[in-house]
């Protein structure tokens, strides 16, 4: 049986280059930009890049990135970030760090797996001059749009350095090499594993010959004159022997590249309709291996699939998984944005062999073997119309998947999955929007870890050693967990839940938006839209669970009154909502708004956790804002109460402001639901002076007493910035009656969306059959065996509740209803 390793290095043989080696020995020039290297650079410029610009050969591509980045930012603004995509090799981040920059990792495009254009532009808008350079990666040799990066560079005044490590050999439709004539450095690898294989080496191309010569000096210790360093530098020179090998590869590269392109076409033809690959390029894509995505329901089997392929003599891998944002070292030094698409792509990537010595028949053998292992038929059958689903969950974020986690903790997920459809707008389930917030949770690390520890589902329990889980575990002794680190773990759990649901007969529709649902004859007809193709379909379900989260609607600010006055009228353009402040970049936004104020004054309105968390964020972020005494005023109506684990613990600190109705009869906790926890609790304890704590001098509390509270109005009128932390309202799915009339909900009038059994209520407050709600702003209040103090007024939210009692409350009703129908 012919073995097909994943990577088969096939550089020119030194044994065939003896004449050239002899000439190098005779010349006595082995490095320092010798004649062989110069000849190769000139030849590469002509043959690969149509004679445009110039090229510099270096010892390896990582060094090429390092000097290119260092040069790009040396005379630019004092930004600290290098913006780069999550799907790339670790060297991209390493090079930025060695150049003195902090990697800023963003999500990728679901189609071609390169940096997502909207994410790049969003971050450039948010961080502004803090971003010194953009480092796009031409993913797996795919020819990204460099004209767009010219535009970004001009629009935002940001440097660009292209990581094209895998792209030497990629061309446009006319045959011109990728990067030809680019005004910024485009850095290629000539490592032995690349299509343009030498043994080691890199090539930098740029339209500006002067920049190439400056980089040449930087690659030679920064010498611009003999032994005179005038630039930052290091030793990145390519030796003459490697330049000789590179010249030999250039001579036969057209044939090598053509053969690899035939193999890539054979792969695309063989997998059509069964696996996802990058779009077919208009020209040629240099490929060192062939990457594809496994079907989502096979994600958790990837390692086993790779092992099975290996047993049959076929090498396979999972470049790049873990992706850049999941690398432990990168986690420590980088700023990582939410990356749901990269998480999905990275979890499903499978790399298959593509080498100079393979044949088209070998490709067919690889795909046939993969099909057999994955158990996918070569020609998929036309699917029958989908049956009526037992349950459809709208929303696969933390709340929607928490319900599935609750079922898994009780061994009921396989039963629940039968006839289940989960609809999620993002490309992966689990993480939702948590990762976009720059704050710590009001839950402990153990709360998040409890979903994994002791879970009877072995696939979920195995996440105990996952890098995202270990990152959470490091915060066991902390006041909460950074939400940016919670997202990756929830997405990892989401991947396992996705696999389990599909393996047990359910369906997970990612990249799908629910537009509305119509109630007809006891069934829910849900209109769905594929976010990639914009194609609409309809699915029918007996039960519907709304888990679409909450938001802070702008229209509420128009009608909101504080201390008897219109909030909009008194605050005007000084008014922002807490959600935008707590999001990543929110503190920077506040700092910009207050930059002209020597002693800024901020008013925060609300007595919720988001209000206290907003105050805590403004106090602790760096660089610190110049708040003087009482610079932040918290306007609240209800008393601020700290949480205690017991009456004894409260009394031990001298806190006695509670009565019997404030104690949970189940747990014995004081202010179990109304009390602030973790970071917010510490701030409340300080402000109340509990147990001798010194109040925070920069914060003043003002309890609004009524419509005639003139002092509250003065605080709002004199504040430089007013932050409304007025809570969240449900982002409810539009519902209709059979005749198309809107189905009115209690939530539309400002009442809680659900009753004490998580059933969605109509305008009269009556539960709507077959309709449930869970998650932020659903309005659920624990009761009975769930505990909670009798004095509590409001709603309770929390991942632990959703993953346990609240989630199981819905699961039990769904399964009981199914049992009744079967009887």
């Amino acid at each position: 049986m012919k073995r097909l390793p994943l990577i088969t290095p096939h550089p020119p043989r030194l044994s065939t280059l003896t004449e050239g080696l002899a000439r190098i020995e005779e010349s006595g020039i082995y490095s320092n930009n010798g004649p062989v290297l110069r000849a190769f650079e000139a030849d590469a410029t002509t043959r690969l890049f149509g004679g445009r610009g110039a090229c510099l050969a270096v010892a390896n591509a990582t060094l090429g990135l390092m000097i290119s980045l260092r040069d790009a930012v040396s005379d630019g603004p004092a930004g600290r970030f290098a913006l780069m995509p999550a799907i790339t090799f670790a060297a991209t981040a390493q090079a930025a760090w060695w150049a003195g920059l902090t990697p800023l990792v963003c999500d990728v495009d679901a189609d071609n797996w390169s940096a997502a254009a909207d994410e790049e532009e969003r971050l450039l808008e948010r961080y502004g001059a803090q971003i010194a350079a953009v480092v796009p990666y031409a993913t797996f040799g795919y020819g990204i749009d460099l004209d767009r990066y010219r535009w970004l560079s001009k629009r935002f005044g940001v440097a660009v350095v292209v990581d094209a490590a895998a792209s030497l050999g990629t061309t446009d439709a006319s045959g011109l090499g990728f990067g030809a004539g680019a005004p910024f450095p485009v850095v290629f690898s000539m490592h032995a594993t690349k299509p343009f294989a030498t043994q080691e080496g890199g090539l930098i191309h740029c339209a500006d010959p002067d920049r190439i010569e400056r980089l040449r000096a930087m690659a030679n210790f920064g010498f611009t004159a003999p032994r005179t360093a005038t630039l930052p530098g290091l030793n990145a020179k390519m030796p003459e022997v490697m330049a000789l090998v590179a010249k030999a590869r250039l001579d036969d590269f057209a044939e090598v590249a053509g053969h690899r392109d035939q193999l890539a076409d054979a792969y695309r033809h063989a997998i059509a309709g069964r696996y996802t690959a990058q779009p077919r390029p208009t020209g040629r894509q240099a490929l060192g291996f062939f990457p594809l995505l496994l079907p989502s329901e096979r994600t958790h089997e990837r390692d086993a699939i790779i092992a099975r392929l290996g047993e049959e003599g076929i090498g396979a891998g999972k470049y790049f998984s873990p992706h850049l944002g999941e690398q432990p070292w990168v986690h420590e030094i980088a700023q990582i944005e939410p990356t749901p698409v990269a998480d999905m792509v990275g979890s499903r990537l499978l790399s298959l062999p593509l080498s100079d010595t393979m044949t088209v028949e070998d490709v067919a053998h690889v795909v046939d073997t993969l099909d057999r292992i994955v158990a996918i038929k070569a020609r998929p059958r036309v699917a029958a119309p989908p049956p009526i689903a037992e349950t459809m969950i709208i929303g696969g974020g933390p709340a929607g998947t928490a319900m599935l986690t609750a079922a898994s903790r009780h061994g009921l997920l396989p039963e629940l999955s039968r006839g289940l459809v989960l609809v999620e707008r993002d490309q992966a389930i689990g993480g939702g929007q948590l990762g976009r917030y720059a704050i710590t949770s009001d839950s402990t690390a153990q709360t998040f870890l409890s979903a994994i520890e002791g879970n009877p589902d072995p696939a979920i329990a195995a996440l105990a050693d996952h890098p995202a889980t270990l990152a959470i575990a490091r915060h066991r002794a902390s006041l909460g967990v950074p939400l940016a680190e919670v997202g990756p773990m929830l997405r990892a759990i989401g991947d396992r839940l996705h696999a389990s649901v599909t393996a047990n007969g359910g369906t997970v529709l990612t990249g799908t938006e629910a537009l509305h649902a119509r109630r007809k004859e006891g069934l829910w007809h849900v209109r769905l839209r594929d976010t990639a193709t914009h194609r609409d379909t309809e699915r029918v379900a007996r039960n519907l669970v709304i888990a679409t989260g909450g938001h802070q609607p702008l229209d509420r600010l128009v009608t909101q009154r504080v201390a008897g006055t219109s909030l909009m009228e008194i605050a005007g353009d000084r008014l922002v909502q807490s959600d935008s402040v707590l999001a990543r970049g929110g503190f920077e936004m506040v700092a910009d708004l207050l930059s002209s104020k020597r002693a800024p004054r901020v008013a925060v309105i609300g007595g919720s956790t988001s209000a206290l968390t907003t105050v805590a964020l403004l106090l602790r972020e760096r660089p610190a804002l110049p708040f003087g005494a009482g610079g932040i005023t918290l306007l609240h109506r209800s008393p601020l109460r700290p949480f205690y684990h017991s009456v004894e613990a409260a009394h031990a600190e001298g806190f006695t402001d509670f009565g019997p109705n404030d104690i949970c009869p189940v747990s014995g906790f004081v202010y179990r639901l109304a009390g602030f926890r973790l970071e917010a609790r510490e701030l409340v304890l300080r402000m109340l002076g509990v147990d001798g704590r010194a109040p925070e001098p920069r914060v003043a509390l003002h309890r609004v007493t009524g419509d005639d509270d003139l002092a509250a109005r003065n605080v709002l009128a004199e504040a430089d910035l007013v932050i409304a932390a007025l809570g969240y309202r449900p982002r409810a799915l539009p519902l209709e009656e059979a005749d198309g009339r809107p189905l009115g909900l209690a939530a539309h009038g400002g009442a809680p969306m659900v009753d004490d059994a998580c059933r969605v209520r109509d305008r009269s407050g009556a539960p709507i059959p077959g309709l449930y709600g869970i998650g932020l702003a659903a309005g659920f209040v624990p009761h009975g065996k769930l505990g909670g103090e009798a004095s509590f007024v409001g709603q309770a939210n929390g991942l632990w509740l959703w993953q346990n009692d609240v989630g199981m409350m819905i699961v039990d009703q769904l399964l009981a209803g199914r049992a009744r129908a079967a009887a």
Side-chain angles (χ1 to χ4, degrees), residues 193-217:
T193 60
K194 296 294 189 290
F196 195 105
T198 58
Q199 294 175 22
E200 183 64 274
L203 189 70
I204 306 173
H205 173 74
C206 182
D208 183 359
D210 291 339
R211 176 173 286 193
I212 288 293
E213 289 310 305
R214 190 164 65 246
L215 293 174
R216 188 184 303 281

Side-chain angles (χ1 to χ4, degrees), residues 395-397 401 404 422-424 426-432 490-499 501 508-510:
T401 52
L404 302 182
L422 174 62
V423 178
E424 169 56 33
D426 287 341
Q427 297 298 322
I429 66 173
L490 294 183
R491 287 192 289 273
I493 295 175
D495 287 343
R496 301 302 197 274
L497 293 170
H498 186 152
V501 167
V508 178
L509 302 175
T510 55

Side-chain angles (χ1 to χ4, degrees), residues 415 810-822:
E415 183 180 355
I810 299 177
V811 171
D812 287 340
Q813 292 177 84
L814 292 172
L815 295 183
R818 188 178 304 182
R820 285 194 301 270

Side-chain angles (χ1 to χ4, degrees), residues 19-383:
E19 290 185 11
L21 292 171
R23 286 195 295 271
I24 291 172
E25 291 177 346
E26 291 170 6
S27 72
I29 300 174
Y30 296 96
S31 186
N32 292 350
N33 299 297
V36 179
L37 178 131
R38 291 282 194 165
F40 164 68
E41 291 173 343
D43 208 6
T45 301
T46 300
R47 295 166 68 175
L48 297 178
F49 304 105
R52 303 183 184 185
C55 290
L56 169 66
V58 289
N60 60 61
T62 304
L63 289 170
L65 284 172
M66 288 166 58
I67 60 174
S68 296
L69 282 167
R70 184 66 184 86
D71 174 67
V73 302
S74 58
D75 296 323
R80 65 187 182 95
F81 288 125
L83 177 58
M84 61 188 64
I87 300 292
T88 186
F89 190 50
T92 315
Q94 298 276 11
W97 187 81
W98 280 106
L101 299 171
T102 297
L104 175 60
V105 181
C106 74
D107 208 358
V108 300
D109 184 272
D111 191 34
N112 62 30
W113 313 337
S114 61
D118 57 345
E119 279 295 290
E120 287 180 318
E121 292 171 35
R122 180 179 67 83
L123 294 173
L124 285 165
E125 292 280 5
R126 177 192 293 181
Y127 288 99
Q130 294 184 72
I131 298 179
V134 179
V135 192
Y137 174 59
T139 312
F140 304 134
Y142 189 82
I144 57 177
D145 183 2
L146 296 187
D147 285 337
R148 179 176 162 274
Y149 286 100
R150 288 187 180 95
W151 172 76
L152 285 180
S153 180
K154 291 179 180 178
R155 177 182 174 187
F156 293 99
V158 66
V160 175
V161 174
V162 180
D163 183 346
S167 303
L168 201 53
T170 293
T171 67
D172 62 17
S174 68
L176 192 62
F178 173 72
F184 31 68
V186 183
V187 184
F188 303 90
S189 173
M190 299 187 293
H191 189 268
T193 60
K194 296 294 189 290
F196 195 105
T198 58
Q199 294 175 22
E200 183 64 274
L203 189 70
I204 306 173
H205 173 74
C206 182
D208 183 359
D210 291 339
R211 176 173 286 193
I212 288 293
E213 289 310 305
R214 190 164 65 246
L215 293 174
R216 188 184 303 281
M218 294 176 70
N220 185 29
F221 307 104
F223 292 162
T224 54
R227 301 291 174 178
T228 304
T230 61
L231 296 170
L234 43 72
N235 185 4
K237 300 186 298 294
M238 173 179 278
E240 290 285 88
V241 171
M242 280 300 97
L244 181 67
V245 177
K247 180 65 170 63
R249 173 54 57 185
L250 188 60
D251 291 338
D252 67 4
F253 190 53
E255 180 182 351
V256 169
H259 176 67
R260 285 177 170 263
D261 199 37
Q262 288 180 344
L263 298 179
D265 274 342
Y267 265 118
R268 295 186 188 104
H269 177 75
I271 69 169
R274 303 191 310 290
Y275 307 92
T276 301
Q278 288 175 292
R280 184 186 296 271
T282 55
R284 185 174 64 206
Q285 180 178 358
L287 285 168
F289 48 80
F290 191 84
L292 55 77
L293 300 188
L294 287 171
S296 59
E297 64 269 20
R298 296 291 184 266
T299 298
H300 66 294
E301 301 173 22
R302 181 172 58 178
D303 288 343
I305 290 169
I306 292 172
R308 286 280 307 280
L309 286 169
E311 292 170 2
E312 302 212 22
I314 298 171
K318 46 187 180 181
Y319 295 98
F320 298 108
S321 180
H323 65 62
L324 190 65
E326 296 170 331
Q327 298 283 345
W329 177 78
V330 177
H331 252 286
E332 293 180 5
I333 60 93
Q335 175 82 17
I336 302 173
E337 293 292 311
T339 57
V341 177
D343 296 344
M344 178 276 294
V345 171
S347 69
R348 293 170 57 189
L349 273 170
L350 182 72
S351 311
L352 298 175
L354 191 159
S355 69
D356 298 348
T357 57
M358 283 178 62
T359 66
V360 170
E361 290 73 23
D362 291 332
V363 170
H365 169 62
V366 171
V367 177
D368 287 345
T369 306
L370 178 63
D371 280 344
R372 176 163 44 82
I373 292 171
V374 178
I376 293 180
K377 295 184 181 299
R379 295 187 181 277
R381 294 172 293 180
V382 176

